[in-house]
Structure formats: C-alpha cells, structure tokens
Amino acid sequence: MNLNLNRKLQVGYGISIVVLIIIGFVSWFTLRNLLDSNRAVSHSVEIMQKYEQILSAMKDAETGQRGYLITGQTKYLQPYNGAYLQSESLALELKKLTADNSAQQKNIKIIQDILGNRLDILKQLVEKKQAAKPILSSDLDAGKSAMDALRNAIAKGEQDERQLLNARNEKLLNYTNFVPVFILIAMLITLGITLRSYRNVAADIQEKDILRRNLEVSEEETQTLNEELSAANEEISSANEELSAINEELCEARDNLVNANQTLEKRVTDRTKALQDSEEETQALNEELTAINEELTATNEDLTDSKEKLQLMLDELKIAEERSAKLAAIVESSDDAIIGKDLDGVITAWNRGAEIIFGYREADMVGNSILKLIPAHLHHEEPVILGRLRNGEKIDHYETVRQTSDGRQINVSLTISPIKDKEGKVIGVSKIARDITEQKRDDQRKSDFIGMASHELKTPLTSLTALIQVLQHKLKTNPDPFVPQALDKAKLQSKKMSSLINGFLNVSRLESGKLEIVTQDFELSQLVDELIDEIKLTASTHEFIFKDRANITVNADSEKIGSVISNLLSNAVKYSPNGKTVTIRLKVVDEQAEFSVEDQGLGINQKDLPRIFDRYYRAGSEHIKQISGFGVGLYLSAEIIERHHGRIWAESETGKGSTFYFKLPLKG
C-alpha cells in the first residue's frame, strides 16, 4: 500500500514538475525572442537614422553650394567641405550595421557611387564659380538628377529595412499570441493532474484506514482465540495426569500377571520374542550410526574447507597489515606534509613532515579545522577545494600560501586527492603539501637577474644594430657579395636577440606588475595580415595560408596581441624544419574571436602539453632540445591572453604537427 501511494505521488507530482519546466522553457524562449526583436528594432531604427543623416549631409552640402554660387561668399562652403567625409563615414557605418543583409549591402554600394558622383558635380560647380566661368543649366540638371537618385536609393534602403522590421514584428506577434494560450492550457493540465493525484491519494489513505480497522478487529479475535486455547491446554494437562495414574495402575496389574504366569512355554516364547526385538533394534542402531558417520565425514570436509579459507583470509590480512605498516612508515618518514581531513575540513591525520613544515604537533591539529593553516584572506579557497573533491576530482600542484605556528606565511604546492570507500563514495581527503618558499625565492632571484641582464644588454645591442644598419647603407654597393650577405645575417641575428631581450624584459615587467595593457578598438585581421607579411621576409622557406579570414574588431592592446601572434608564427616556422606549410585561421566561435596557427612540424608529447605555457619550460623531446629557445615566448603569450580575459591552448600529435589557439572577447 505504501509503495502504491508513493508511486502515485511521484507520478502525479513528477508530471506536474515536467509541465512547469516546459512552461518555464517556453516563457524563457518567448522572452528571448522579445529581447531579440527589441534589439532588431533598435538596429533598424539606427540604420534608418544613418540613411537620414546621409541625406541631411548632402542637403547641407547642396545648400552651402547654392549659397556660394548665389553670393560668392566662401563661408557658405563650410557644410560642403565636410559633407564628403561625413557621408562616406556614415556609409561605412551603414555597411557594418547591415553586414548580414546582402540586399542592403548592394544598395549601400549604389549610394556610395551616387555620393561620389554628386560630390564631383558639386566640386565642378564650385571650381567654375571660383574660375568665374559660366554655370549652365545642364550642370544644375546633372546635380538634381544625382540628388534624386540619392533620395531614391535612400528611400529604397529605408523601405527594405521597414519590411525586415515588419517581418520581425509579425514573428514576435505569433509568439505572443501562442504562448499565453499554451501556458493557460498547461496550467489547466497541471491542475487537473494535481487534483487527480490528490483524489487517488485520498482514496488510498481511506482504504488504508479501513484495512487498519479490520486488522485491529482481527487482532482482538485472535486474542480471544488464544485465551480459549490456553483454557483447553489446561484441561488437556489435567486429562494427561489422570491417564498417567491409570497407566501406572495397569503397569502394576501387568507385572502381577507376568509373575503369576509360571509356565515354561510362556517364558520361552517371551524370551524368543525379546531376542528378535533386540536384533531389530541393533540393526536400526547400526544404520543410524552409519548415517551419523557419513554426516561427520561431510562435516569434517566442510571444516577443512573453512579452515583453508580462514587461513587464506589470515594471509591476506597479514599482507594488508604489512602494506599498511610500510605505507605508515613512508608517510611518517616523508619530508612533505601529509594531512588527512574529512569533507567538513576537520583534520584526521598529521605526519612528522607536517610538524616540521607548519610547526604544530599532531595532538594540536587532529580534530581541528584546516582553516587554522590558511591565512584569513585565503579562507575562500577551502570551500572551492572541498566542492571539487566531493565531485571526485583530484587537484594537482595547486600553488598557494599557508601559515605556520609562528605566524609566518610560506608558499606551498598542494596535491589533494579524494578518499573513497568500496562503493566509490568520497568519505575523506588526502592532502600532500610541499614547501616551495625557497623555490619561489630562487625564481624571483632568477627573474631579477634576467631583468637586470636584459636591461644591461639592451643598450649595447641597440648600438650594435644601429652600427650594422650604417654598414649596410655604406657597403650595399660593395663588390664582394659576402659583405652584404654577412651584414644581412648579422642584422637578422641582432633582431632575434632584441626580440629575446624584449621577451625577458616583458616577463620581468609581468612578474613585477608593471606590464601595462593599453586597449583600443582595432581590426584583428589587418594586424594578422601585417605580421604574416613581416615574417615572410625572414621565412622564405615556408608557405603561409590565411584561411577563414573574418573581419573581426576587438578591444585589446594591439602591440601585445601582435607579439603573441608573431611568437606563434615564428614557433610554427622554427619547429617545422620539414613541413613547409603554415595555416592561419581567424573566425568567430561562440561569440569570441578565435585565432589559430597550424604547422606540420615535430609535434608535442601529450605529457608536455599541459606545461608548455609554464615559464622557462621546454618539452623533453631530443629534437626540440636541439632548437634554440628559453621557454619565455609561450609563457608571456599565455599571460597576455589571460589579462585580456581570453584563453590560449594547444593541440598536438607527435610527428604530425601542432595547432595553437587563442580566443579573445569581441568588441562591446
């Protein structure tokens, strides 16, 4: 009954929830279409305003030109002088706004041609006036025809935009007419299902009450029957006692009768019968003993099997104890802090390495919260970490800051793993913490040295580059061909050295927080074209193919993004000694600008892919190690893209080449 009741509740309320979800989805879909329609209306209004502004600009130009032709005063030429640039700018803006409408694009092309023609006519009339030449009626007629053509073209563009706007409004009206009816019907269905479920549940509850009352009546009848049976048992016990007394009397009479029978025949008969009965009992006893022996044999076999299984379990338990002892010895002797905690962040285990690193004894930490080790400004990390671990996720090499018993803050690298039971349920957390404070200091000293050395090298390298350029200019006509070639190679090497030093300086600025990002709107495809042309000058052995070229405008630091693209292109050349084709793509993916560079080079091992954007990291392949580099370019590129709120990654297969990607938000 309970199962049936639960099933009806689940079915009824489940269907109601599904209907409510459908209503919510339809409402969301309609709201989204309303917002899209609103944006489309604003877009269409803006386009029609641009058309009107073009027409207004040309009217101002024509009015100024007429004033000048009539009065000869140059002050009337001010609207005329700015009309061309303004109208051309407005036409370009219209072209961008209607990039998804081929009909409007054709119409805007016609308007641009008419604008050029009309402005040429205005210019000719002004020049004639300035040269005191007569102005003919044919000149004025030509200007009027051009102006009429412009008005017609603009009217056509506005009419097309109004038709598009009407179509969008009609589509929206269909949605708004359909959705309320749908929601009303769905709500009525939900109400009906709920009422039906309520009625069924009420009927089940009523039936359950009836069964309960019947059961109580049955229990009362059973109790009465038990009392009657008890009374009957007492009567039977009394009868048994009477029968026992009668049996005793009969036995006594039989004994007297046997003693009275003195005849030999009776005695022999009794004796023979007794012997026969004894033989039968002996035979039955032997059979019972045989069966008991068989049962004992089977029992012994079962005991032997159980003993073997018990011994096997004892051996496995001994091996497990040895493994546990070894693991405990490893944990206790480890220099790293190994800490166990539950899913609430309460510490359950604390090894000797943890005592050395953090300064707390095991008795001081077990049972306390892990937040005791975390600085106050980093308490927000713990809920995020526990949330990931509850989902079964492992966290590797998470670098952060922790606090020791004396208040010092140290840099640590955390490797955190979930502890699961036999059913795979996460029941706790194992954390390994390694003190990397000295490593961080070494990295800082290395960065300081590289920054200082780069600054010191930049000045003599600048002088050397200038000297090479002067020598190239003076010795370009040298009859010995070796001299110009040597100077070209020297200039190329000095450029590489300058790029390398600039990379080190940018790394130094980045780590000191002095790398400035200056954003502006620019055309990303034009920047890519410029950088491809630039690298072609130094990489004549490779072919560069620019596919999927989309005109995309982004708001970013063009210089920094240019350095990222240049680094990816130069890497594609450097690590592709055999492959000769480099494919570049630029397109819009998920409302973001996606740029990629694909080469046919050496490729990258899968184990190296997660770390290729780390500072000073280079892949472990012997072929790659033979190619010059310091592991700075990709690290710097990743930091620049991250500071633009973008994402950079790579896909590769050893021996088949690599593809590097990055994404940037679109303008606005």
Side-chain angles (χ1 to χ4, degrees), residues 417-437:
S417 304
I419 301 173
K420 301 179 180 179
D421 58 13
K422 293 181 180 180
E423 288 75 22
K425 181 181 178 182
V426 178
I427 59 174
V429 176
S430 172
K431 176 188 292 186
I432 300 176
R434 176 167 295 177
D435 187 354
I436 59 171
T437 303

Side-chain angles (χ1 to χ4, degrees), residues 183-196:
I183 292 175
L184 181 59
I185 293 173
M187 290 178 66
L188 291 175
I189 293 173
T190 304
L191 182 60
I193 293 172
T194 304
L195 292 174
R196 181 176 177 82

Side-chain angles (χ1 to χ4, degrees), residues 97-162:
L97 289 172
T98 59
D100 57 345
N101 192 331
S102 58
Q104 288 284 41
Q105 290 283 303
K106 293 179 181 178
N107 194 50
I108 292 170
K109 182 64 172 63
I110 294 171
I111 290 173
Q112 287 178 319
D113 294 339
I114 295 171
L115 284 174
N117 182 29
R118 178 57 181 148
L119 289 170
D120 288 340
I121 294 171
L122 292 175
K123 184 178 179 182
Q124 291 173 4
L125 292 175
V126 171
E127 288 175 351
K128 283 186 176 183
K129 179 67 177 179
Q130 290 174 346
K133 294 181 179 179
I135 297 174
L136 304 177
S137 60
S138 59
D139 295 331
L140 297 175
D141 292 339
K144 182 178 181 301
S145 299
M147 196 64 186
D148 291 340
L150 177 62
R151 287 191 181 93
N152 293 334
I154 288 175
K156 182 179 182 303
E158 290 179 343
Q159 182 181 1
D160 291 345
E161 195 63 31
R162 286 193 184 94

Side-chain angles (χ1 to χ4, degrees), residues 37 111 242 284 505:
S37 177
I111 290 173
E242 293 177 357
L505 286 174

Side-chain angles (χ1 to χ4, degrees), residues 342-375:
D342 60 21
L343 295 180
D344 294 325
V346 177
I347 297 173
T348 58
W350 186 266
N351 76 330
R352 186 182 63 84
E355 292 183 4
I356 295 173
I357 291 176
F358 295 107
Y360 291 105
R361 294 180 302 172
E362 182 179 5
D364 298 331
M365 293 305 296
V366 172
N368 289 321
S369 174
I370 195 69
L371 295 177
K372 191 172 181 179
L373 303 177
I374 303 176

